[in-house]
Amino acid sequence: MQKFFWVFSLLWVGTFAHAQGFTVQNYHVDITIHEEGYFDVVEDYDIYFQVPKHGIYRDIRTKYDLITFNGTETSRKIIVSNIEVPEHRFEIPYQFQRNLSSSLRIKIGDPNTTIQGRQHYQIRYRVDNAFLHEEDRVRFYWNLKPDGWSAAFAAIQFTVRFPESISLGKEDYFIYSGAYGTTTASKDFVLTVDEHSITGQSIEGITSYPGESVTILANLPANSVAAYVPFWPTWTRYIWIGILVLLVIAFYLVWKKYGKDDPAPATTSYYPPQGIDPAMAGFLIDDREDSVDLISLLPYWGRMGIIKIKEIPKKHLLSKGDTEITRIDRLPLGATKYEKKIFKGLFDSVQSSDEKTVLVSSLRNSFYTTMGSAKRTLKQEAQKYYVAESARVKRITVLVLLAIKIVFGLAFLFVWGILAAVCLFFTTLTLLILSTFLIKKNKVGTALLSELRGFRQFIAVSEERKLKMLMDDDPGYFESTMGYALAFGMFAKWSRKFEKLNTQPPSWYSTTGNRAYTMNHFTNSFNNAMTSTKSTMVSAPSSSSSGGGSSGGGFGGGGGGSW
């Protein structure tokens, strides 16, 4: 059956290519990258027309909705300019049409003349805004031969030239070929590489059929290629800026009435509010469900005698340390839902009172789903401290911003051009992100915020004399407050204040190291353990392979055909 499928596929491809009336006997693409942030493309086609045709057309996709290599969703419009087709008549859309369209078609040939047999075409153009700029690199991701061509390519050659300031090694580039989405490195090309260029020649007998592509991914050094900066419009087109300013002002007024908390001056407090665990305290202090808020439950449970934690140092230089968490009791009956989610995720729903131990390293690439669910639950349970009306206004604001983004986006593009539309897009996107802060605390929430601010301020400025008094009255003072300091991002600073007081480290935390178990040792050990635990609990499996790219996945999508 599988053999029949492949025979049928080849027969279908051959029939389709013949119906188009031409084949590409040889194709060569030459790309020169410039430090200024653009690259020049020269495409040469040796084509054989089996039947009379006027010429060919070349489609270049210009608009992309993509997920970048760091997982961010983004839209991108590449700019194609300086189009030339030497010795041939050709047509391209007007600039206005190109602004509205998601692709560009270069139509080559004379409608009054037909041709047949061997023909040669050369297409030249320049591309801007087609580099992916990341914090530590610049990615060049381009379809040397896109999958949209309606004819088979019998032979393919390519050359990509880089600026002299860029030197690439074998680990910096990847070639993919075949069906869309292929992630394994291509074996269909013989590559020649030097410091400043990559040249490829398809192996004899290898044919690239319709629906297949050839893609290059090159990782360039950070800031080696300038980011694209669109041309600033003339003064007659500044009206759209005023509209954006009014939009921002309107959003500010809505936030001021429905999102801005009532004044909550810090009230001096030596303890966190009663009935508020570290995770909820971390949420209320900044209105966000951070991962560290939930991690702060670990010392909270340790103080309650529910768990024990042990640091396992690395055994040798190349190994990694680990953290062991042991359950010694169940959660109390009044535990919150988010506590139960984290606890259940750690200990696999064990209902008995028997001890159960888990290594933090075993949670890598799996616990992130539990963490995400617990975050959502924490946010839900915190709503009792917020004004219900602000949530309704928040939903309405989000809907209005989305409507403006869609309706006004077309108007901005039509009247003022692509720069205005892009600015509207990013303005509304920013306001949509800021709309997450359109939540206002009620009286209870405001009172709690006032106490939490006072306690956080005390953690920051407390003196040794006052801490000694608190420790004399309550020897367990440090253990009962350290979880809150962790949620506030101030654990190391808080812990070190107790080192001079000869405070004993918590008994529920231990280490297998050989050093004396002092408060200083505990501070460093626990801080490192919680940092590692946080990164492990939120880690997700990576889907990248062979550089993270795939055949057909880059810019330069499109194809071509005959007419």
Side-chain angles (χ1 to χ4, degrees), residues 221-385:
N223 303 316
S224 60
V225 175
Y228 171 73
V229 180
F231 178 73
W232 189 255
T234 60
W235 69 271
T236 56
R237 304 179 68 185
Y238 276 78
I239 300 175
W240 60 270
I241 298 179
I243 296 175
L244 295 183
V245 171
L246 291 175
L247 179 62
V248 172
I249 292 175
F251 180 87
Y252 170 77
L253 294 176
V254 171
W255 169 80
K256 186 176 181 181
K257 183 175 182 179
Y258 297 100
K260 184 179 180 181
D261 287 328
D262 292 332
T267 302
T268 302
S269 179
Y270 307 134
Y271 287 89
Q274 289 187 354
I276 301 297
D277 60 52
M280 185 60 71
F283 183 94
L284 294 175
I285 203 71
D286 59 8
D287 299 326
R288 291 200 306 269
E289 62 278 23
D290 301 316
S291 299
V292 71
D293 295 340
L294 295 167
I295 298 296
S296 67
L297 291 171
L298 296 178
Y300 180 68
W301 292 339
R303 166 64 175 168
M304 295 170 64
I306 296 173
I307 63 171
K308 287 185 177 181
I309 303 175
K310 179 188 291 186
E311 177 205 23
I312 303 177
K314 56 185 180 180
K315 297 180 179 179
H316 50 80
L317 185 62
L318 298 180
S319 66
K320 293 183 178 180
D322 207 340
T323 302
E324 180 183 273
I325 305 176
T326 301
R327 164 189 160 170
I328 57 177
D329 201 354
R330 291 175 291 181
L331 289 176
L333 294 178
T336 60
K337 292 181 180 179
Y338 50 85
E339 285 186 88
K340 293 177 182 177
K341 285 182 180 290
I342 295 294
F343 199 77
K344 179 179 178 181
L346 283 174
F347 302 111
D348 198 22
S349 307
V350 174
Q351 299 300 322
S352 67
S353 59
D354 297 334
E355 291 190 3
K356 182 176 178 64
T357 298
V358 62
L359 289 175
V360 169
S361 60
S362 68
L363 307 176
R364 185 174 302 278
N365 297 339
S366 61
F367 196 80
Y368 69 99
T369 55
T370 300
M371 184 66 75
S373 177
K375 282 183 180 180
R376 292 188 292 270
T377 304
L378 171 61
K379 184 176 181 180
Q380 291 170 0
E381 294 201 15
Q383 296 312 302
K384 60 186 176 184
Y385 301 114

Side-chain angles (χ1 to χ4, degrees), residues 311 505 511-525:
E311 177 205 23
T511 176
T512 57
N514 296 321
R515 292 176 294 175
Y517 189 45
T518 63
M519 192 64 181
N520 177 266
H521 180 200
F522 165 75
T523 299
N524 296 327
S525 174

Side-chain angles (χ1 to χ4, degrees), residues 108-122:
I108 307 171
D110 189 335
N112 300 316
T113 304
T114 59
I115 54 178
Q116 194 169 353
R118 289 184 175 84
Q119 299 292 328
H120 178 78
Y121 297 94
Q122 183 179 92

Side-chain angles (χ1 to χ4, degrees), residues 391-467:
R392 182 178 64 84
V393 172
K394 175 183 175 181
R395 289 193 295 270
I396 295 174
T397 302
V398 169
L399 292 175
V400 170
L401 286 172
L402 289 173
I404 290 174
K405 186 176 182 180
I406 296 171
V407 178
F408 277 57
L410 294 174
F412 271 46
L413 182 62
F414 182 83
V415 178
W416 291 295
I418 190 170
L419 176 61
V422 169
C423 288
L424 174 67
F425 171 82
F426 282 107
T427 300
T428 53
L429 178 62
T430 301
L431 294 181
L432 283 170
I433 295 173
L434 292 176
S435 66
T436 57
F437 297 100
L438 276 173
I439 47 176
K440 184 176 183 178
K441 293 182 178 68
N442 54 29
K443 290 183 178 180
V444 175
T446 300
L448 288 174
L449 179 63
S450 180
E451 289 187 64
L452 288 171
R453 285 177 173 173
F455 180 52
R456 184 176 63 176
Q457 183 177 355
F458 177 69
I459 290 176
V461 303
S462 57
E463 298 178 352
E464 181 179 336
R465 180 177 58 83
K466 182 61 181 178
L467 292 178

Side-chain angles (χ1 to χ4, degrees), residues 28-281:
H28 182 273
V29 56
D30 190 295
I31 298 177
T32 303
I33 296 175
H34 300 270
E35 293 178 337
E36 292 77 7
Y38 60 86
F39 55 90
D40 292 313
V41 182
V42 180
E43 299 176 350
D44 281 280
Y45 301 86
D46 290 320
I47 290 177
Y48 187 85
F49 292 99
Q50 290 93 353
V51 296
K53 294 284 186 176
H54 297 287
I56 64 170
Y57 58 86
R58 169 73 166 98
D59 290 333
I60 303 174
R61 185 180 171 192
T62 55
K63 186 177 180 180
Y64 299 82
D65 295 317
L66 50 86
I67 299 178
T68 62
F69 289 83
N70 55 22
T72 305
E73 296 184 5
T74 184
S75 295
R76 177 69 68 89
K77 180 92 172 187
I78 68 171
I79 310 300
V80 179
S81 61
N82 297 4
I83 301 172
E84 298 179 8
V85 185
E87 302 180 2
H88 286 280
R89 179 176 175 176
F90 69 99
E91 297 176 1
I92 57 175
Y94 293 110
Q95 186 61 46
F96 171 73
Q97 295 174 293
R98 291 159 66 176
N99 286 343
L100 297 180
S101 177
S102 60
S103 64
L104 179 152
R105 170 166 289 189
I106 305 171
K107 189 176 182 181
I108 307 171
D110 189 335
N112 300 316
T113 304
T114 59
I115 54 178
Q116 194 169 353
R118 289 184 175 84
Q119 299 292 328
H120 178 78
Y121 297 94
Q122 183 179 92
I123 304 175
R124 297 172 171 265
Y125 54 92
R126 174 168 292 179
V127 180
D128 284 281
N129 201 30
F131 291 97
L132 295 173
H133 291 266
E134 300 178 0
E135 185 175 343
D136 59 345
R137 72 189 75 186
V138 177
R139 296 189 189 261
F140 175 65
Y141 198 19
W142 186 257
N143 291 313
L144 302 167
K145 182 256 177 181
D147 62 359
W149 273 98
S150 58
F153 282 54
I156 298 176
Q157 299 93 35
F158 65 84
T159 301
V160 180
R161 309 175 196 279
F162 302 94
E164 292 186 1
S165 59
I166 298 176
S167 297
L168 296 182
K170 292 183 179 181
E171 70 282 0
D172 296 322
Y173 65 87
F174 306 90
I175 306 295
Y176 310 93
S177 64
Y180 181 87
T182 301
T183 59
T184 55
S186 176
K187 297 181 180 179
D188 295 342
F189 289 84
V190 177
L191 301 178
T192 303
V193 182
D194 60 32
E195 287 187 339
H196 308 300
S197 68
I198 301 173
T199 300
Q201 166 74 53
S202 61
I203 298 173
E204 186 176 354
I206 297 293
T207 300
S208 181
Y209 292 101
E212 297 183 336
S213 57
V214 179
T215 304
I216 183 172
L217 169 61
N219 296 321
L220 313 181
N223 303 316
S224 60
V225 175
Y228 171 73
V229 180
F231 178 73
W232 189 255
T234 60
W235 69 271
T236 56
R237 304 179 68 185
Y238 276 78
I239 300 175
W240 60 270
I241 298 179
I243 296 175
L244 295 183
V245 171
L246 291 175
L247 179 62
V248 172
I249 292 175
F251 180 87
Y252 170 77
L253 294 176
V254 171
W255 169 80
K256 186 176 181 181
K257 183 175 182 179
Y258 297 100
K260 184 179 180 181
D261 287 328
D262 292 332
T267 302
T268 302
S269 179
Y270 307 134
Y271 287 89
Q274 289 187 354
I276 301 297
D277 60 52
M280 185 60 71

Side-chain angles (χ1 to χ4, degrees), residues 295 298-300 309 311 482-483 486 491 495 506 508-509 520-533:
I295 298 296
L298 296 178
Y300 180 68
I309 303 175
E311 177 205 23
M482 61 179 289
L486 181 62
F491 168 76
S495 182
W508 47 264
Y509 186 88
N520 177 266
H521 180 200
F522 165 75
T523 299
N524 296 327
S525 174
F526 186 79
N527 195 44
N528 292 335
M530 292 301 99
T531 300
S532 175
T533 298

